[in-house]
Amino acid sequence: LKGAVEAYVSQRPEVKDAYAALAALEAANHTLNDDLAKQKDEVAYLRERVRIQQVVFAARESRLRELEVAVAARDGRLRTAYLSLASEHLDVVVAIQRFVRGRRCRRVEVSSSSWVQQQKNFKEERRSADATSESLDNQTITRKIRLILNKLTPDKFWKLSHELMECGISTESHLEILVHEI
């Protein structure tokens, strides 16, 4: 029978082409079935990985809940210990609070030679004195000179030297003040 089929196929070219196409389709079907089997295996593998990850996640979530409970218990114990300690030593806590409140209410006395007092005195003199007063002018020039000299660095030299020339040095006493400050 096989020989008769081969003879019939060899006599008719269209059947020969159909037979070749059928063989190609069977080979393609076999390849697709192999690919499908591989993909099913891969899907099964991925499902197993997902299941394992879910188990791991559930275990971690359970451990996290256990840790949260432990932290809450520890905080509760600390709070209880603090409250019991505070109730035992309430008189000490009250004394400390009174001491701190009393310290906050007291003002620091300003001495006559302090910087704060010097600033207050300078401002009062400025308000009460004439603008043409030479002693006040000397104090103002001295303050400006000190201000500029305190900022002096090699990078800022040229800019500050111009400011120093324009700060109001106009008399010999002002120049002596500058030399004294340098």
Side-chain angles (χ1 to χ4, degrees):
L1 182 67
K2 187 176 179 183
V5 170
E6 288 177 1
Y8 179 73
V9 168
S10 64
Q11 292 174 359
R12 303 196 82 182
E14 65 272 357
V15 174
K16 186 178 182 181
D17 291 341
Y19 188 72
L22 181 62
L25 284 175
E26 285 179 356
N29 187 27
H30 182 67
T31 304
L32 288 175
N33 284 337
D34 288 346
D35 289 345
L36 182 62
K38 287 179 185 176
Q39 288 178 356
K40 284 181 180 179
D41 290 343
E42 191 172 336
V43 166
Y45 170 76
L46 290 175
R47 282 186 179 152
E48 183 63 22
R49 296 255 339 240
V50 166
R51 190 186 66 74
I52 291 170
Q53 290 296 329
Q54 288 172 341
V55 169
V56 168
F57 179 73
R60 286 182 181 165
E61 195 173 67
S62 174
R63 179 67 179 140
L64 181 62
R65 273 191 238 110
E66 290 173 5
L67 289 174
E68 288 173 348
V69 168
V71 168
R74 186 199 60 180
D75 287 348
R77 288 193 304 271
L78 286 175
R79 195 173 302 113
T80 303
Y82 172 75
L83 291 175
S84 67
L85 184 64
S87 65
E88 291 173 10
H89 302 289
L90 186 59
D91 55 337
V92 174
V93 172
V94 170
I96 290 171
Q97 288 175 345
R98 285 184 185 153
F99 175 75
V100 169
R101 269 191 243 121
R103 300 277 278 176
R104 259 190 250 148
C105 294
R106 289 188 200 151
R107 288 194 165 248
V108 177
E109 293 183 23
V110 178
S111 69
S112 61
S113 62
S114 70
W115 181 84
V116 173
Q117 189 61 43
Q118 289 175 4
Q119 297 303 313
K120 286 181 182 179
N121 292 342
F122 178 74
K123 287 180 183 178
E124 287 175 13
E125 287 177 14
R126 243 173 120 184
R127 285 186 201 124
S128 63
D130 281 338
T132 59
S133 170
E134 188 167 323
S135 68
L136 181 62
D137 190 35
N138 285 345
Q139 285 180 345
T140 305
I141 296 296
T142 303
R143 288 172 63 93
K144 286 181 181 179
I145 290 171
R146 283 183 184 158
L147 180 79
I148 293 169
L149 290 176
N150 283 335
K151 294 178 187 176
L152 192 61
T153 64
D155 296 334
K156 298 179 184 179
F157 176 77
W158 294 109
K159 178 184 174 216
L160 292 176
S161 64
H162 292 292
E163 283 184 32
L164 194 60
M165 287 182 218
E166 296 171 2
C167 77
I169 297 175
S170 58
T171 64
E172 188 176 314
S173 63
H174 295 160
L175 195 55
E176 288 175 4
I177 292 170
L178 173 62
V179 170
H180 176 68
E181 289 299 322
I182 292 176

